[in-house]
Amino acid sequence: MAEDHESSRADPATFLKSLPAIRKQSSYILEKVVKNDLKHFECHMERLPALVEYVAKVITRDYGSEFDSIPPHGRWQHFEVGGKKRVDDLIGLWGTSVDSLERTRRLLDLCVTSVLLDAGAGDKWTYRSRDDGAEYRRSEGIAVASMEAFRSGFFSSHPDQPHQVDAGKLRTVALPEMESAFHANHSNPMEGLQGRVTLLNNMSKALTANPQFFGSSARPGNMLDSLLSASSYSKGRYSISVEILWNVLLEGFSQIWPGTRTQWEGKALGDAWHCESMPFAPTDWRSIVPFHKLSQWLAYSVIQLIERMMPVDFFGKEHLTGLPEYRNGGLFVDLGVLQLRSAEVLRGFECYKESLPANQQSEDLMPMFKADDDAIVEWRAATVGLLDVLHKRVNEYLGLEGGSRLSLAQVLEAGSWKSGREVAREKRPDTSTPPIITMSDVNEDTSLDILFCARVGDLDELKTTLSNFASSLAVPPPSPLSILDAVQDEFTGNTAVHYAAANSHVKVLQWIMNEGYQERTRDESSARSARFARANKSGSTPLHYAAMNGALEASKLLIESIAPASRSHSPEVHSNQNSHDETEIRRDIQRTYVELKNGAGRTAMFEAESAGKSEVAVFLAAVGAKDSRVNVDEDETEAVSEADGKEDMESDVKADDIQNG
């Protein structure tokens, strides 16, 4: 899998989705780490020896000198949390009638599904095991919950074979079933549950669409047969290239991976981002740093399972990198190797303060950035490179050489991730949050939940989802609207306001409007305008959708929201002259709003009249809208399809990235 410079230049998108590209692109950032030449972080390599010692001592504390007993990073360990041999117990149920191939297929069914469900569940969710009565949280809780669901036949459409995962069942999984399987309810809220349902539904499509990987029975475990068919066989063992596995994961599951803001020549690149510290022009594809974190976490887990169950050796594992997630990255920040520059700390504090609810302040400020902020991308890229350095230094510290050296997967499992969690607990015992908060870790599945609630008009669940996610971020938590404003559909650009307006969910819109009066911002009217007039990727505002769908009450509320009457009870404000001036200003703002055009040159009035929504058209005319059917480029109107209407608003929400962590 050596990098081919010419082929990467000829097909940058394919290169950026490859494993070698992750380490290659991150190496540019590592060079700047060593030189202390990053844009957002100061780099203190002189502090690395202390960090290496910390990690090495965590490893020896837990494993002594029995380094061979350290497993590689993978999902298997999560299944056995609490010292329970759950995988062995599961295999024992099948007896000798199930051969090694089918045992491995079944475990792959479980492993792949469990990894893909492994997103942040929030601080409040716990899972009480049916087997031992113990309570588990976070990633381990999801592992135990998915294991017990698998044992019960939850993922199988065949009653005579409950211990499998197949497309037939995944296609029909619904929210109530998931709530029951994962013990989720209002008193035990689990973040991102609807997102997980959508992911399983989309996983069904991926399994069905790729029989070359998943067979006619459309099971993830059938990838074993595909991998073995591409292997070489010698002296009783199979040899499989990691590159073959990587292709299965990226191409076979492409329908469930999210589209991202980063594309090259129209091709979505997955978890890959432009980075300003790269020594290339921003328009150059070489300024993009890929990470593919979830795919790598899945690869580590699949490799561990197959090598444990079958006479198989994967080669090329050295091309897998450390995972750039908040525990690994937080380790380097908390122990001082990476330190946000002063200006960046202040910028992060401002973002954090602006996210707080009205009249709420915090003495314990935390730097906060959006997930696509260049500071976060730089942090992740530096983490990938520094994990390679840490891998080498830990082996040197422990005196391990040659074949006795720990693999990177072992250091990730026993050292860096665990150390990152422990140092976070030491420094922030009340929350154990990372040292830098990624704001739109409005977890991608939590983002789906927020949009889904707005689409179906479930205001109580929307408020609960926002509240639960906010409380998991920081103390004090950010305001609900600061989270709501950060969420939009990755593909269409639709916001919660778009969905609520399209489906005439007035209670949701009213709540958003009322919350807006309470938010703390320098320019409240500007913040409201941005929220209610925000255009999606087709240039349509929420009013466009309300108009084309005949949502009269929603249209009225949007107009009121964009330019509300003064809520002040001051006599000065309500003098005749001031009232007249205020009314004129409001009318001007409203007229401007209703005349906004989308990407096809259509106003909300045009959409209402074209759809025959006469009541909305009459209302819009009363607030100053003109008959805008004239001067519209008919060719341009074809650019906005009918999918921009209510049918799109009521379609299934697409699945986004599930993050391990």
Side-chain angles (χ1 to χ4, degrees), residues 91-112:
I91 294 173
L93 296 175
W94 303 331
T96 57
S97 61
V98 177
D99 63 24
S100 61
L101 283 170
E102 178 58 20
R103 284 198 298 269
T104 307
R105 291 189 197 100
R106 293 182 184 183
L107 292 180
L108 282 171
D109 281 349
L110 167 62
C111 179
V112 170

Side-chain angles (χ1 to χ4, degrees), residues 534-594:
R534 185 172 177 180
N536 65 10
K537 292 184 178 181
S538 296
S540 293
T541 68
L543 185 61
H544 282 91
Y545 282 116
M548 74 174 67
N549 292 314
L552 178 61
E553 295 305 315
S555 298
K556 291 180 178 179
L557 193 57
L558 289 169
I559 294 295
E560 169 64 16
S561 299
I562 204 73
S566 172
R567 293 200 170 191
S568 171
H569 298 289
S570 164
E572 290 81 6
V573 171
H574 290 284
S575 67
N576 290 337
Q577 182 61 46
N578 286 347
S579 295
H580 174 76
D581 292 344
E582 179 187 325
T583 299
E584 288 304 311
I585 292 172
R586 291 182 62 225
R587 287 175 178 171
D588 286 343
I589 295 173
Q590 291 170 352
R591 279 192 290 268
T592 300
Y593 183 39
V594 298

Side-chain angles (χ1 to χ4, degrees), residues 224 337 353 373 379 606 634:
L224 176 65
V337 175
K353 287 189 289 185
D373 191 281
W379 181 28
F606 182 97
E634 293 301 325

